[in-house]
Amino acid sequence: MYGAIEAGGTKFVLAVGNEKGDILDKQVIPTEHPTITIPKVINFFKNKGIKKLGLGSFGPIDINEESNTYGQLQKTPKNDWVDYPLGETIKIALNVPIKIDTDVNVAAMAEAKWGNAIDVNTCFYMTVGTGIGAGAYVHGQTLKGLSHPEMGHIKVRRHPEDTYVGSCPYHKDCLEGIASGPSLEKRWGKKGNELANDTKVWEIEAYYLAQALTNYIYILSPERIIIGGGVMNQQQLLPLIRKRVIEMLNGYVSSPYLTGKEIDQYIVSPGLTDEAGIKGALYLAINS
Amino acid sequence: MYGAIEAGGTKFVLAVGNEKGDILDKQVIPTEHPTITIPKVINFFKNKGIKKLGLGSFGPIDINEESNTYGQLQKTPKNDWVDYPLGETIKIALNVPIKIDTDVNVAAMAEAKWGNAIDVNTCFYMTVGTGIGAGAYVHGQTLKGLSHPEMGHIKVRRHPEDTYVGSCPYHKDCLEGIASGPSLEKRWGKKGNELANDTKVWEIEAYYLAQALTNYIYILSPERIIIGGGVMNQQQLLPLIRKRVIEMLNGYVSSPYLTGKEIDQYIVSPGLTDEAGIKGALYLAINS
């Protein structure tokens, strides 16, 4: 049996699964102060007989296995968790090996192994929710280097009609600061699901997300883009994003996926629905 | 003996080298119409006894070895070369196997193998000259997927004092359209080397290039960034870019390379000076 943790900005998903990737037991707990959340995590896994643990976490987090601070959170906008040794605390308490990557990197890997990108070699995964993050699976590995990608913090050009100052504590109006769920709510004074029929809301949101995807396409050239997260539950948004990506690329990348309606098979929703992250963490445990 | 071609927007570099990467014979010819340039290429390699050829080319170009149009140029802004079967023409004429990648991808690989990134596992290479292009070496391979990266065509925010419309035929004011050598010349009405003492020129240039590098760092998290090309011959530019990158990241990526003066070892000039591209093409031939 393998343990899996998806540590997110608003909730932790905890699961136990087998080597085929089946989830046999699962629990969701809110992300509160570590002193509240972590004992619940330990308690869930205790006596479950897991032999390895995979952790897909929000970031920034140290994912360098050779580092002294492997699994330690860094300058996250979630203040209670800054510098918290997430991986080490869990590893010691449960006495099992733990493998750590970002939530979005493992989600990209899970979609490549078991989801909507099993037919291609490279997969890009983006989530638009409490925050905006993205990961990639490239050449048989998740993407990392000096640190891990923090793709939600790129800057995109401002929509001419949008004057919202932005909510990122580090960069004000980076992508996450202007297009995450909370930013959307602050800009319009209502939650996304109360704004479903306001076309201007989604035109601006699609403008930002399509710009970001266009940059990711130019930089990574992924073979499939998966886009999930709470904000994407607004079904009208994905078609708007696809249309805008085609317009912005303006035919420069010679692929039917990026010039016509085949984009419907290129930018898609997660095949694992809301389980891409937790299944990715499970995959990490199984293959560590 | 191995053959190497660096096919660029203004010149073709042709070389013959050995398996250690030493260049034994080299010639540079201008990039003109294919009917003029290609016979010169063939003539250079004829009777040199090369057993394999590596080609690092400008793009967009098809670099998928399983494709029917492998080595064919695509919608390049260089009109004479659109749809030109560059790889196939040379392969048939010389009757040797040819391996093809982008000029910037092979340059990234050469810097990782023989240049200023031999001590790290991932290398990002950018050139700022006639055009702007970038490539990456990640997990032991150059970065590719649906196609290859076209990183020079991302959009960055406009400098508030810059009103130049941009020169990219596909996207007007994408990065290449506002920060390449020719864009700089069109904006100011003079060549870069005549503007060396005009601080505003380099402040704007650094603003655009630093924004782009910040995006590349957030998306790829490379362990080293190499930046070359004709525009970078302005020695005042690199320190300005480094300073701006630190400001823009604003401490978000927890690495001494991105927060203080160690950035001088992180964003560097090519170790292979102007031979990164041709040596990368040679590496491609040797290892194909």
Side-chain angles (χ1 to χ4, degrees):
Chain A
M1 297 289 268
Y2 299 88
I5 303 172
E6 182 191 8
T10 49
K11 64 180 193 286
F12 271 56
V13 183
L14 315 170
V16 171
N18 63 23
E19 63 287 342
K20 289 184 290 181
D22 304 317
I23 290 177
L24 307 171
D25 191 1
K26 191 166 106 170
Q27 192 183 340
V28 180
I29 58 172
T31 306
E32 297 173 88
H33 192 278
T35 56
I36 300 170
T37 304
I38 297 304
K40 292 182 186 172
V41 171
I42 307 300
N43 199 46
F44 174 81
F45 288 108
K46 221 162 44 186
N47 307 320
K48 290 250 177 20
I50 57 167
K51 54 183 178 185
K52 286 180 185 175
L53 195 55
L55 166 63
S57 179
F58 66 103
I61 184 169
D62 183 347
I63 59 168
N64 175 3
E65 289 183 73
E66 286 158 33
S67 162
N68 288 333
T69 53
Y70 180 52
Q72 181 170 322
L73 284 157
Q74 297 169 328
K75 292 194 175 171
T76 164
K78 292 197 71 72
N79 288 330
D80 290 344
W81 294 79
V82 172
D83 292 337
Y84 184 75
L86 181 59
E88 194 67 10
T89 307
I90 296 170
K91 182 186 168 187
I92 289 172
L94 293 171
N95 195 28
V96 289
I98 186 166
K99 180 116 183 207
I100 301 157
D101 206 330
T102 65
D103 47 359
V104 279
N105 258 351
V106 302
M109 184 164 64
E111 287 289 334
K113 297 296 174 185
W114 296 322
N116 268 345
I118 50 171
D119 55 326
V120 289
N121 295 312
T122 57
C123 173
F124 178 90
Y125 178 94
M126 181 185 199
T127 179
V128 186
T130 312
I132 297 183
Y137 185 76
V138 178
H139 304 160
Q141 295 179 47
T142 57
L143 188 62
K144 58 192 85 159
L146 181 69
S147 171
H148 54 76
E150 275 291 338
M151 304 199 205
H153 293 270
I154 64 167
K155 289 221 172 176
V156 292
R157 287 197 188 161
R158 298 301 303 263
H159 189 284
E161 294 171 59
D162 180 27
T163 55
Y164 175 58
V165 291
S167 64
C168 175
Y170 288 90
H171 317 106
K172 273 257 188 267
D173 66 349
C174 64
L175 181 70
E176 179 170 292
I178 52 175
S180 64
S183 310
L184 201 138
E185 193 179 330
K186 279 180 204 145
R187 176 186 293 111
W188 302 103
K190 288 182 192 172
K191 285 196 181 295
N193 53 15
E194 299 172 71
L195 295 160
N197 297 318
D198 188 332
T199 53
K200 183 58 72 185
V201 171
W202 306 106
E203 180 206 313
I204 291 178
E205 185 70 8
Y207 175 78
Y208 290 139
L209 296 176
Q211 269 193 81
L213 289 183
T214 302
N215 281 357
Y216 303 143
I217 290 167
Y218 278 135
I219 295 171
L220 289 166
S221 197
E223 287 169 284
R224 182 80 29 87
I225 288 176
I226 315 267
I227 176 166
V231 173
M232 296 307 298
N233 289 335
Q234 294 294 323
Q235 301 299 314
Q236 70 277 28
L237 185 53
L238 187 52
L240 289 175
I241 293 171
R242 289 176 179 140
K243 182 167 163 278
R244 276 293 207 173
V245 167
I246 288 177
E247 285 168 15
M248 289 174 184
L249 290 170
N250 196 22
Y252 192 66
V253 181
S254 295
S255 165
Y257 290 116
L258 294 171
T259 44
K261 72 179 175 50
E262 285 182 51
I263 197 168
D264 293 356
Q265 282 94 58
Y266 181 72
I267 304 178
V268 300
S269 299
L272 303 172
T273 60
D274 60 353
E275 291 200 319
I278 191 66
K279 288 222 168 184
L282 184 57
Y283 187 88
L284 205 58
I286 297 167
N287 292 279
S288 64
Chain B
M1 296 292 267
Y2 299 89
I5 303 171
E6 182 191 5
T10 48
K11 63 181 194 288
F12 272 55
V13 183
L14 315 171
V16 170
N18 63 23
E19 62 288 343
K20 290 184 289 181
D22 303 316
I23 290 177
L24 307 171
D25 190 1
K26 192 167 108 168
Q27 191 183 339
V28 180
I29 58 172
T31 305
E32 297 174 89
H33 192 279
T35 55
I36 300 170
T37 304
I38 296 304
K40 292 181 185 170
V41 173
I42 306 300
N43 199 48
F44 173 81
F45 288 107
K46 222 163 44 188
N47 307 321
K48 291 250 177 16
I50 58 167
K51 53 183 177 184
K52 286 179 185 176
L53 195 56
L55 166 64
S57 179
F58 66 102
I61 183 168
D62 184 347
I63 60 168
N64 175 3
E65 290 184 72
E66 287 159 33
S67 161
N68 288 334
T69 53
Y70 180 52
Q72 180 169 320
L73 285 157
Q74 297 167 330
K75 292 194 175 172
T76 167
K78 293 197 69 72
N79 289 330
D80 291 344
W81 294 80
V82 172
D83 293 338
Y84 183 76
L86 180 59
E88 193 67 11
T89 307
I90 296 169
K91 181 184 168 188
I92 289 172
L94 294 170
N95 194 29
V96 289
I98 185 166
K99 181 116 182 203
I100 302 156
D101 206 330
T102 63
D103 46 1
V104 278
N105 259 350
V106 303
M109 184 164 64
E111 287 289 334
K113 296 297 174 184
W114 296 320
N116 269 345
I118 51 171
D119 55 326
V120 289
N121 296 313
T122 57
C123 173
F124 177 90
Y125 178 94
M126 183 185 197
T127 179
V128 186
T130 313
I132 296 183
Y137 184 74
V138 178
H139 304 160
Q141 296 178 47
T142 56
L143 188 62
K144 57 192 86 157
L146 181 69
S147 171
H148 55 76
E150 275 291 338
M151 303 199 206
H153 293 270
I154 64 167
K155 289 222 171 173
V156 291
R157 286 196 190 163
R158 296 302 301 265
H159 189 286
E161 294 171 58
D162 180 27
T163 54
Y164 175 58
V165 291
S167 64
C168 174
Y170 288 90
H171 317 108
K172 272 258 189 265
D173 66 351
C174 64
L175 181 71
E176 179 168 293
I178 52 176
S180 64
S183 310
L184 201 139
E185 193 179 329
K186 279 181 202 145
R187 176 186 296 112
W188 302 103
K190 289 182 191 171
K191 283 194 183 295
N193 53 15
E194 299 172 71
L195 295 160
N197 298 317
D198 188 333
T199 53
K200 182 60 72 187
V201 170
W202 307 106
E203 180 207 314
I204 291 178
E205 185 70 7
Y207 176 77
Y208 288 141
L209 296 176
Q211 270 194 80
L213 289 184
T214 302
N215 282 356
Y216 303 144
I217 289 167
Y218 278 136
I219 295 171
L220 289 165
S221 197
E223 286 169 285
R224 182 80 30 87
I225 289 177
I226 315 266
I227 175 164
V231 172
M232 297 306 299
N233 288 336
Q234 294 294 322
Q235 301 298 316
Q236 71 276 29
L237 185 53
L238 187 53
L240 289 175
I241 292 171
R242 290 176 179 139
K243 184 167 161 277
R244 276 293 207 173
V245 167
I246 288 177
E247 286 168 12
M248 288 174 185
L249 290 171
N250 196 22
Y252 192 65
V253 181
S254 295
S255 166
Y257 291 117
L258 294 172
T259 45
K261 72 179 177 48
E262 286 182 48
I263 198 169
D264 293 357
Q265 282 95 57
Y266 182 71
I267 304 178
V268 299
S269 299
L272 303 172
T273 61
D274 60 351
E275 289 199 321
I278 192 66
K279 288 222 168 182
L282 183 58
Y283 187 88
L284 204 59
I286 296 167
N287 292 279
S288 62

